[in-house]
Each structure stands twice: as C-alpha cells, then as structure tokens.
Amino acid sequence: MKIEELLKPCPECGSRDKTQHRDFEKEFMAYAHNGELKCSNCGHIFITRDEAIDIRRAEEAENNEEE
C-alpha cells in the first residue's frame, strides 16, 4: 500500500488513524508480514488479511521472476 493511501481518511468516520496487524513467523517471532489494515477509530477494514496475503504472494512472484 502506498503512503498516499495510508494518509486517506476513513470513509466511515473520517479518522486518519489506522492499525496495521502483523502475521508473525512461527519460527522467528521477530519477523512478520503485513496483515489486516483497519481504522483505529471505527474498525473499518481497508485491507483484509486475505488481501494482504495475496499482495505479498504477488510481490514474491514478481521478485522470483526478476531473478
């Protein structure tokens, strides 16, 4: 997600505060991937966990193609 999208106000309540949830690796708890992104005020979901996984897989596929 681009920084411009992170700065947009929530369409439900207008708040700019968001919470980024993280999916931690079970083997290495210090390493994590971005998960669900939602409004800190009303809970509106900008990106679901499944969408975050799809984005991550697409980025990994692009990186593998470049190598």
Side-chain angles (χ1 to χ4, degrees), residues 37-52:
L37 179 69
K38 66 181 187 177
C39 177
S40 299
N41 189 42
C42 71
H44 173 78
I45 298 174
F46 292 92
I47 296 178
T48 66
R49 184 175 182 271
D50 292 336
E51 289 171 336

Side-chain angles (χ1 to χ4, degrees), residues 22-40:
R22 310 275 292 172
D23 293 332
F24 287 95
E25 295 284 332
K26 291 181 181 177
E27 186 177 352
F28 307 106
M29 291 302 288
Y31 184 71
H33 297 285
N34 289 337
E36 183 179 72
L37 179 69
K38 66 181 187 177
C39 177
S40 299

Side-chain angles (χ1 to χ4, degrees), residues 1-65:
M1 177 173 262
K2 295 181 180 180
I3 191 72
E4 296 84 23
E5 295 172 11
L6 287 173
L7 296 175
K8 288 182 181 177
C10 175
E12 299 292 324
C13 69
S15 174
R16 292 185 186 268
D17 296 331
K18 296 173 182 70
T19 303
Q20 176 74 62
H21 295 270
R22 310 275 292 172
D23 293 332
F24 287 95
E25 295 284 332
K26 291 181 181 177
E27 186 177 352
F28 307 106
M29 291 302 288
Y31 184 71
H33 297 285
N34 289 337
E36 183 179 72
L37 179 69
K38 66 181 187 177
C39 177
S40 299
N41 189 42
C42 71
H44 173 78
I45 298 174
F46 292 92
I47 296 178
T48 66
R49 184 175 182 271
D50 292 336
E51 289 171 336
I53 290 170
D54 291 341
I55 292 168
R56 184 168 53 236
R57 286 182 181 156
E59 289 172 353
E60 289 172 357
E62 284 180 16
N63 291 338
N64 289 337
E65 288 177 3

